[in-house]
mmCIF file of all heavy atoms in Angstrom:
data_model
loop_
_atom_site.group_PDB
_atom_site.id
_atom_site.type_symbol
_atom_site.label_atom_id
_atom_site.label_comp_id
_atom_site.label_asym_id
_atom_site.label_seq_id
_atom_site.Cartn_x
_atom_site.Cartn_y
_atom_site.Cartn_z
ATOM 1 N N VAL A 32 43.993 19.540 -4.104
ATOM 2 C CA VAL A 32 44.511 20.734 -3.460
ATOM 3 C C VAL A 32 45.007 21.669 -4.551
ATOM 4 O O VAL A 32 45.681 21.232 -5.488
ATOM 5 C CB VAL A 32 45.669 20.380 -2.501
ATOM 6 C CG1 VAL A 32 46.283 21.619 -1.910
ATOM 7 C CG2 VAL A 32 45.200 19.437 -1.422
ATOM 8 N N ASN A 33 44.653 22.947 -4.472
ATOM 9 C CA ASN A 33 45.142 23.918 -5.444
ATOM 10 C C ASN A 33 46.603 24.216 -5.172
ATOM 11 O O ASN A 33 46.998 24.461 -4.041
ATOM 12 C CB ASN A 33 44.341 25.215 -5.386
ATOM 13 C CG ASN A 33 42.966 25.045 -5.974
ATOM 14 O OD1 ASN A 33 42.748 24.202 -6.824
ATOM 15 N ND2 ASN A 33 42.037 25.855 -5.507
ATOM 16 N N LEU A 34 47.386 24.201 -6.233
ATOM 17 C CA LEU A 34 48.807 24.517 -6.152
ATOM 18 C C LEU A 34 49.087 25.470 -7.297
ATOM 19 O O LEU A 34 49.388 25.058 -8.401
ATOM 20 C CB LEU A 34 49.627 23.242 -6.274
ATOM 21 C CG LEU A 34 51.124 23.374 -6.113
ATOM 22 C CD1 LEU A 34 51.442 23.811 -4.693
ATOM 23 C CD2 LEU A 34 51.814 22.070 -6.418
ATOM 24 N N GLY A 35 48.950 26.773 -7.044
ATOM 25 C CA GLY A 35 49.054 27.739 -8.128
ATOM 26 C C GLY A 35 47.860 27.555 -9.040
ATOM 27 O O GLY A 35 46.717 27.571 -8.609
ATOM 28 N N LEU A 36 48.131 27.334 -10.321
ATOM 29 C CA LEU A 36 47.060 27.101 -11.278
ATOM 30 C C LEU A 36 46.745 25.623 -11.435
ATOM 31 O O LEU A 36 45.787 25.258 -12.084
ATOM 32 C CB LEU A 36 47.444 27.681 -12.640
ATOM 33 C CG LEU A 36 47.635 29.199 -12.670
ATOM 34 C CD1 LEU A 36 48.090 29.637 -14.048
ATOM 35 C CD2 LEU A 36 46.366 29.911 -12.275
ATOM 36 N N SER A 37 47.583 24.769 -10.856
ATOM 37 C CA SER A 37 47.401 23.322 -10.968
ATOM 38 C C SER A 37 46.662 22.784 -9.754
ATOM 39 O O SER A 37 46.606 23.418 -8.713
ATOM 40 C CB SER A 37 48.755 22.622 -11.072
ATOM 41 O OG SER A 37 49.474 23.109 -12.158
ATOM 42 N N ARG A 38 46.157 21.589 -9.929
ATOM 43 C CA ARG A 38 45.506 20.902 -8.827
ATOM 44 C C ARG A 38 46.272 19.608 -8.580
ATOM 45 O O ARG A 38 46.604 18.891 -9.504
ATOM 46 C CB ARG A 38 44.056 20.621 -9.147
ATOM 47 C CG ARG A 38 43.234 21.907 -9.239
ATOM 48 C CD ARG A 38 41.811 21.660 -9.656
ATOM 49 N NE ARG A 38 41.077 20.762 -8.806
ATOM 50 C CZ ARG A 38 40.435 21.122 -7.692
ATOM 51 N NH1 ARG A 38 40.469 22.364 -7.315
ATOM 52 N NH2 ARG A 38 39.777 20.245 -6.986
ATOM 53 N N VAL A 39 46.539 19.334 -7.312
ATOM 54 C CA VAL A 39 47.309 18.160 -6.915
ATOM 55 C C VAL A 39 46.453 17.347 -5.957
ATOM 56 O O VAL A 39 45.730 17.911 -5.131
ATOM 57 C CB VAL A 39 48.625 18.596 -6.223
ATOM 58 C CG1 VAL A 39 49.426 17.407 -5.753
ATOM 59 C CG2 VAL A 39 49.444 19.459 -7.147
ATOM 60 N N GLU A 40 46.561 16.041 -6.052
ATOM 61 C CA GLU A 40 45.818 15.185 -5.138
ATOM 62 C C GLU A 40 46.256 15.459 -3.706
ATOM 63 O O GLU A 40 47.421 15.726 -3.440
ATOM 64 C CB GLU A 40 46.051 13.714 -5.473
ATOM 65 C CG GLU A 40 45.371 13.273 -6.735
ATOM 66 C CD GLU A 40 45.512 11.779 -6.956
ATOM 67 O OE1 GLU A 40 45.763 11.045 -5.979
ATOM 68 O OE2 GLU A 40 45.375 11.359 -8.101
ATOM 69 N N GLU A 41 45.303 15.379 -2.807
ATOM 70 C CA GLU A 41 45.574 15.661 -1.407
ATOM 71 C C GLU A 41 46.616 14.721 -0.827
ATOM 72 O O GLU A 41 47.443 15.116 -0.002
ATOM 73 C CB GLU A 41 44.275 15.577 -0.610
ATOM 74 C CG GLU A 41 44.366 16.182 0.760
ATOM 75 C CD GLU A 41 43.009 16.235 1.431
ATOM 76 O OE1 GLU A 41 42.259 17.176 1.152
ATOM 77 O OE2 GLU A 41 42.734 15.310 2.214
ATOM 78 N N SER A 42 46.610 13.475 -1.255
ATOM 79 C CA SER A 42 47.582 12.506 -0.739
ATOM 80 C C SER A 42 49.010 12.891 -1.136
ATOM 81 O O SER A 42 49.941 12.732 -0.355
ATOM 82 C CB SER A 42 47.258 11.099 -1.235
ATOM 83 O OG SER A 42 47.338 11.053 -2.655
ATOM 84 N N VAL A 43 49.174 13.420 -2.343
ATOM 85 C CA VAL A 43 50.499 13.856 -2.789
ATOM 86 C C VAL A 43 50.938 15.085 -1.996
ATOM 87 O O VAL A 43 52.082 15.183 -1.560
ATOM 88 C CB VAL A 43 50.495 14.154 -4.306
ATOM 89 C CG1 VAL A 43 51.817 14.760 -4.749
ATOM 90 C CG2 VAL A 43 50.197 12.892 -5.091
ATOM 91 N N ALA A 44 50.030 16.021 -1.791
ATOM 92 C CA ALA A 44 50.344 17.228 -1.025
ATOM 93 C C ALA A 44 50.690 16.876 0.418
ATOM 94 O O ALA A 44 51.586 17.485 1.012
ATOM 95 C CB ALA A 44 49.180 18.202 -1.072
ATOM 96 N N ALA A 45 50.010 15.879 0.998
ATOM 97 C CA ALA A 45 50.306 15.470 2.370
ATOM 98 C C ALA A 45 51.654 14.758 2.459
ATOM 99 O O ALA A 45 52.373 14.898 3.439
ATOM 100 C CB ALA A 45 49.202 14.563 2.894
ATOM 101 N N LYS A 46 51.989 14.029 1.415
ATOM 102 C CA LYS A 46 53.261 13.290 1.391
ATOM 103 C C LYS A 46 54.454 14.234 1.241
ATOM 104 O O LYS A 46 55.544 13.953 1.715
ATOM 105 C CB LYS A 46 53.216 12.307 0.217
ATOM 106 C CG LYS A 46 54.319 11.307 0.179
ATOM 107 C CD LYS A 46 53.991 10.292 -0.908
ATOM 108 C CE LYS A 46 55.211 9.589 -1.402
ATOM 109 N NZ LYS A 46 54.909 8.684 -2.496
ATOM 110 N N HIS A 47 54.242 15.370 0.575
ATOM 111 C CA HIS A 47 55.301 16.352 0.340
ATOM 112 C C HIS A 47 54.852 17.697 0.908
ATOM 113 O O HIS A 47 54.321 18.535 0.184
ATOM 114 C CB HIS A 47 55.584 16.494 -1.156
ATOM 115 C CG HIS A 47 55.946 15.204 -1.806
ATOM 116 N ND1 HIS A 47 57.170 14.620 -1.634
ATOM 117 C CD2 HIS A 47 55.245 14.378 -2.621
ATOM 118 C CE1 HIS A 47 57.215 13.494 -2.323
ATOM 119 N NE2 HIS A 47 56.053 13.325 -2.931
ATOM 120 N N PRO A 48 55.081 17.941 2.201
ATOM 121 C CA PRO A 48 54.578 19.173 2.818
ATOM 122 C C PRO A 48 55.206 20.449 2.253
ATOM 123 O O PRO A 48 54.630 21.516 2.365
ATOM 124 C CB PRO A 48 54.907 18.999 4.302
ATOM 125 C CG PRO A 48 55.898 17.903 4.376
ATOM 126 C CD PRO A 48 55.743 17.072 3.155
ATOM 127 N N GLY A 49 56.367 20.364 1.639
ATOM 128 C CA GLY A 49 57.018 21.546 1.087
ATOM 129 C C GLY A 49 56.654 21.834 -0.351
ATOM 130 O O GLY A 49 57.233 22.720 -0.981
ATOM 131 N N LEU A 50 55.687 21.103 -0.894
ATOM 132 C CA LEU A 50 55.333 21.241 -2.306
ATOM 133 C C LEU A 50 54.850 22.641 -2.653
ATOM 134 O O LEU A 50 55.252 23.212 -3.664
ATOM 135 C CB LEU A 50 54.272 20.204 -2.677
ATOM 136 C CG LEU A 50 53.888 20.091 -4.140
ATOM 137 C CD1 LEU A 50 55.100 19.727 -4.978
ATOM 138 C CD2 LEU A 50 52.798 19.062 -4.329
ATOM 139 N N GLN A 51 54.035 23.214 -1.807
ATOM 140 C CA GLN A 51 53.506 24.546 -2.095
ATOM 141 C C GLN A 51 54.608 25.600 -2.048
ATOM 142 O O GLN A 51 54.653 26.502 -2.885
ATOM 143 C CB GLN A 51 52.386 24.891 -1.126
ATOM 144 C CG GLN A 51 51.592 26.092 -1.564
ATOM 145 C CD GLN A 51 50.234 26.147 -0.901
ATOM 146 O OE1 GLN A 51 49.956 25.404 0.028
ATOM 147 N NE2 GLN A 51 49.383 27.029 -1.372
ATOM 148 N N GLU A 52 55.523 25.472 -1.098
ATOM 149 C CA GLU A 52 56.635 26.415 -1.001
ATOM 150 C C GLU A 52 57.567 26.283 -2.214
ATOM 151 O O GLU A 52 58.037 27.275 -2.762
ATOM 152 C CB GLU A 52 57.413 26.161 0.288
ATOM 153 C CG GLU A 52 58.386 27.239 0.629
ATOM 154 C CD GLU A 52 58.993 27.040 2.004
ATOM 155 O OE1 GLU A 52 58.474 26.246 2.804
ATOM 156 O OE2 GLU A 52 60.009 27.701 2.268
ATOM 157 N N TYR A 53 57.787 25.043 -2.655
ATOM 158 C CA TYR A 53 58.614 24.807 -3.840
ATOM 159 C C TYR A 53 57.953 25.400 -5.086
ATOM 160 O O TYR A 53 58.609 26.037 -5.905
ATOM 161 C CB TYR A 53 58.852 23.310 -4.029
ATOM 162 C CG TYR A 53 59.514 22.966 -5.330
ATOM 163 C CD1 TYR A 53 60.867 23.214 -5.527
ATOM 164 C CD2 TYR A 53 58.785 22.401 -6.375
ATOM 165 C CE1 TYR A 53 61.479 22.904 -6.726
ATOM 166 C CE2 TYR A 53 59.391 22.090 -7.572
ATOM 167 C CZ TYR A 53 60.733 22.342 -7.743
ATOM 168 O OH TYR A 53 61.334 22.042 -8.939
ATOM 169 N N ALA A 54 56.647 25.203 -5.223
ATOM 170 C CA ALA A 54 55.929 25.736 -6.382
ATOM 171 C C ALA A 54 55.979 27.262 -6.391
ATOM 172 O O ALA A 54 56.144 27.882 -7.448
ATOM 173 C CB ALA A 54 54.482 25.250 -6.382
ATOM 174 N N ALA A 55 55.863 27.879 -5.224
ATOM 175 C CA ALA A 55 55.953 29.340 -5.138
ATOM 176 C C ALA A 55 57.362 29.804 -5.525
ATOM 177 O O ALA A 55 57.519 30.823 -6.213
ATOM 178 C CB ALA A 55 55.604 29.804 -3.735
ATOM 179 N N CYS A 56 58.363 29.064 -5.102
ATOM 180 C CA CYS A 56 59.748 29.406 -5.448
ATOM 181 C C CYS A 56 59.953 29.315 -6.964
ATOM 182 O O CYS A 56 60.557 30.195 -7.574
ATOM 183 C CB CYS A 56 60.707 28.465 -4.719
ATOM 184 S SG CYS A 56 62.451 28.797 -5.041
ATOM 185 N N GLN A 57 59.439 28.257 -7.572
ATOM 186 C CA GLN A 57 59.565 28.094 -9.027
ATOM 187 C C GLN A 57 58.838 29.216 -9.759
ATOM 188 O O GLN A 57 59.322 29.730 -10.761
ATOM 189 C CB GLN A 57 59.011 26.745 -9.469
ATOM 190 C CG GLN A 57 59.926 25.583 -9.172
ATOM 191 C CD GLN A 57 61.182 25.631 -10.003
ATOM 192 O OE1 GLN A 57 62.211 26.137 -9.565
ATOM 193 N NE2 GLN A 57 61.129 25.124 -11.205
ATOM 194 N N SER A 58 57.682 29.591 -9.251
ATOM 195 C CA SER A 58 56.925 30.674 -9.868
ATOM 196 C C SER A 58 57.711 31.980 -9.822
ATOM 197 O O SER A 58 57.794 32.715 -10.813
ATOM 198 C CB SER A 58 55.581 30.832 -9.159
ATOM 199 O OG SER A 58 54.847 31.875 -9.739
ATOM 200 N N ARG A 59 58.318 32.266 -8.657
ATOM 201 C CA ARG A 59 59.156 33.467 -8.541
ATOM 202 C C ARG A 59 60.345 33.397 -9.489
ATOM 203 O O ARG A 59 60.716 34.396 -10.110
ATOM 204 C CB ARG A 59 59.643 33.639 -7.103
ATOM 205 C CG ARG A 59 58.627 34.232 -6.173
ATOM 206 C CD ARG A 59 59.243 34.618 -4.835
ATOM 207 N NE ARG A 59 59.901 33.520 -4.156
ATOM 208 C CZ ARG A 59 59.287 32.653 -3.358
ATOM 209 N NH1 ARG A 59 57.989 32.776 -3.134
ATOM 210 N NH2 ARG A 59 59.956 31.686 -2.770
#
Side-chain angles (χ1 to χ4, degrees):
V32 176
N33 287 333
L34 184 65
L36 297 177
S37 303
R38 293 176 57 85
V39 178
E40 288 186 22
E41 195 173 277
S42 62
V43 173
K46 190 171 158 184
H47 303 285
L50 187 60
Q51 193 160 11
E52 192 172 345
Y53 171 74
C56 181
Q57 284 292 95
S58 180
R59 281 191 303 274

